[in-house]
Amino acid sequence: MNHQPVDATSATRFLPMVSVVVPIYNGEADLPELINCLLSQTYPKERVEYFLVDNNSSDRTLTILKTSAENCPITIHALSENQIQSSYSARNTGIRAATGEIIVFTDADCRPQPQWLDALIQPFVNKEVVIVAGEILALPGTTLLEQHADRQETLSQKHTLKHSFRPYGQTANLAIRHITLEKVGLFRPYLTTGGDADICWRILGENIGRLEFAPNAIVGHRHRATLKELQSQWRRYGCSNRYLHELHGVDLMREITLKECGYRLARWLVKEIPRDMKKAIAGKATLVDLLNTPIGLFTARARAAGQRDAKLPENAKTIDRL
């Protein structure tokens, strides 16, 4: 896997047809900013088609998508997937309609930078490259939890690219050769989390080609701002662990015990807080530093609960085909 940045301005111009697929569920509030980001792309607009797929939203998402498709100077197709409530099923609907050589994925709450597509597509000039993952950076946040997640780089692809089983890219910023999907199949439509790892691992397991990282292909994404949102996020990560264990045999995460939590909290109170308070007085630490340990324990417990409680549905083993 190559981690070298690709300079889209100096690299030999490579302009395959690109299909961008975005699953959307109740994304009414996100659509104006998302579409503005798509409009700002430097990749030639005549070489890109955008498939915005409503996944049975209860708000005005589908209506807004249809209006945007009619009035935008870029090619937007408003699609609907209302049979299966799953972002992966919605992505499959987009893939089936796509005509591009490269299929690109992002999400409604992501904010692609203008050179996103240029940088994400360039590694495909090498025929051995079949998957490219771009970077995911935090949008500016003001809450303590957002600042903590930013400090931990929670959303960065660097974590998934170093997975102990195989590297993978998150679908918030991922591109795959269309022909590859013809060979290994699409997403598992009934899977609710972990589908990005699953599809990358299936591709890499077939030795069809390799995955590359394009660090200059950047999308912004907001961190969770409340404890409820944070707990839901990390429970979902735990569910993903369980599902991928069932599907691919990856190791489960060791669950942190209440005894360990108590020890860590005691150590935090007795050693870490006094140390970090001195740093804070000297201007070398913030409230985020002071609360790092309890927030970390909160997310670890949420992830463990998700892993423990999850059960892979039998129909989630199904792989859609083109």
Side-chain angles (χ1 to χ4, degrees):
M1 182 172 59
N2 186 354
H3 291 267
Q4 295 299 314
V6 175
D7 185 348
T9 61
S10 61
T12 302
R13 198 68 165 156
F14 171 62
L15 300 172
M17 187 66 189
V18 174
S19 301
V20 178
V21 176
V22 186
I24 307 171
Y25 175 69
N26 288 347
E28 177 181 348
D30 283 311
L31 284 175
E33 281 190 64
L34 171 67
I35 291 173
N36 281 337
C37 289
L38 302 182
L39 285 166
S40 72
Q41 292 301 304
T42 57
Y43 200 83
K45 65 181 181 180
E46 68 274 9
R47 304 296 296 162
V48 190
E49 55 182 4
Y50 297 93
F51 295 91
L52 306 187
V53 189
D54 175 67
N55 192 201
N56 203 28
S57 298
S58 59
D59 64 2
R60 296 175 58 250
T61 291
L62 186 56
T63 299
I64 295 172
L65 290 182
K66 290 178 178 178
T67 301
S68 299
E70 293 174 357
N71 300 322
C72 259
I74 57 177
T75 302
I76 291 180
H77 300 282
L79 303 180
S80 178
E81 168 51 60
N82 54 22
Q83 298 301 309
I84 303 173
Q85 194 69 57
S86 161
S87 64
Y88 301 118
S89 183
R91 291 184 183 100
N92 288 347
T93 296
I95 294 169
R96 288 193 177 93
T99 64
E101 178 183 342
I102 310 297
I103 311 296
V104 171
F105 303 99
T106 190
D107 294 322
D109 56 355
C110 289
R111 301 292 175 260
Q113 293 188 357
Q115 291 189 324
W116 169 57
L117 282 178
D118 264 317
L120 191 64
I121 298 306
Q122 286 307 307
F124 286 106
V125 71
N126 183 335
K127 296 296 184 182
E128 294 182 359
V129 174
V130 294
I131 307 172
V132 176
E135 184 57 294
I136 306 168
L137 299 180
L139 292 169
T142 57
T143 71
L144 178 68
L145 294 179
E146 288 174 307
Q147 292 167 8
H148 174 268
D150 192 18
R151 184 78 60 85
Q152 299 296 316
E153 297 181 295
T154 299
L155 298 173
S156 175
Q157 297 273 36
K158 72 179 185 181
H159 302 298
T160 58
L161 292 171
K162 292 180 180 178
H163 196 282
S164 58
F165 182 73
R166 284 193 181 103
Y168 72 93
Q170 301 168 80
T171 44
N173 194 357
L174 188 70
I176 301 176
R177 284 193 192 275
H178 200 158
I179 193 172
T180 304
L181 299 173
E182 294 174 6
K183 294 178 180 179
V184 303
L186 309 183
F187 292 98
R188 298 180 193 266
Y190 290 97
L191 204 60
T192 55
T193 183
D196 40 15
D198 173 70
I199 200 167
C200 288
W201 291 350
R202 284 192 280 124
I203 292 169
L204 296 176
E206 292 289 337
N207 294 315
I208 296 171
R210 69 171 193 258
L211 182 157
E212 284 205 20
F213 179 40
N216 292 338
I218 297 169
V219 302
H221 194 291
R222 293 197 191 284
H223 286 299
R224 275 56 173 184
T226 68
L227 283 174
K228 183 178 179 181
E229 291 173 339
L230 190 66
Q231 182 182 48
S232 176
Q233 176 187 18
W234 284 87
R235 281 187 66 93
R236 190 176 70 256
Y237 290 163
C239 288
S240 179
N241 285 352
R242 173 63 66 179
Y243 294 165
L244 294 172
H245 171 74
E246 298 293 335
L247 293 170
H248 295 274
V250 301
D251 292 337
L252 290 172
M253 178 193 70
R254 187 182 71 83
E255 183 170 345
I256 186 169
T257 66
L258 286 174
K259 183 178 179 180
E260 288 175 292
C261 282
Y263 171 79
R264 294 271 304 275
L265 285 172
R267 188 174 186 275
W268 171 64
L269 288 168
V270 174
K271 292 186 176 181
E272 294 175 18
I273 284 185
R275 178 198 66 197
D276 291 338
M277 284 294 291
K278 291 179 182 178
K279 289 183 179 179
I281 292 171
K284 297 181 180 179
T286 66
L287 186 59
V288 175
D289 299 296
L290 289 167
L291 296 178
N292 183 60
T293 292
I295 295 174
L297 289 173
F298 178 81
T299 58
R301 292 289 293 177
R303 185 172 182 172
Q307 179 178 270
R308 183 179 62 250
D309 299 340
K311 181 176 175 58
L312 181 70
E314 189 62 31
N315 59 7
K317 297 177 182 179
T318 303
I319 298 173
D320 267 3
R321 302 284 173 178
L322 277 171

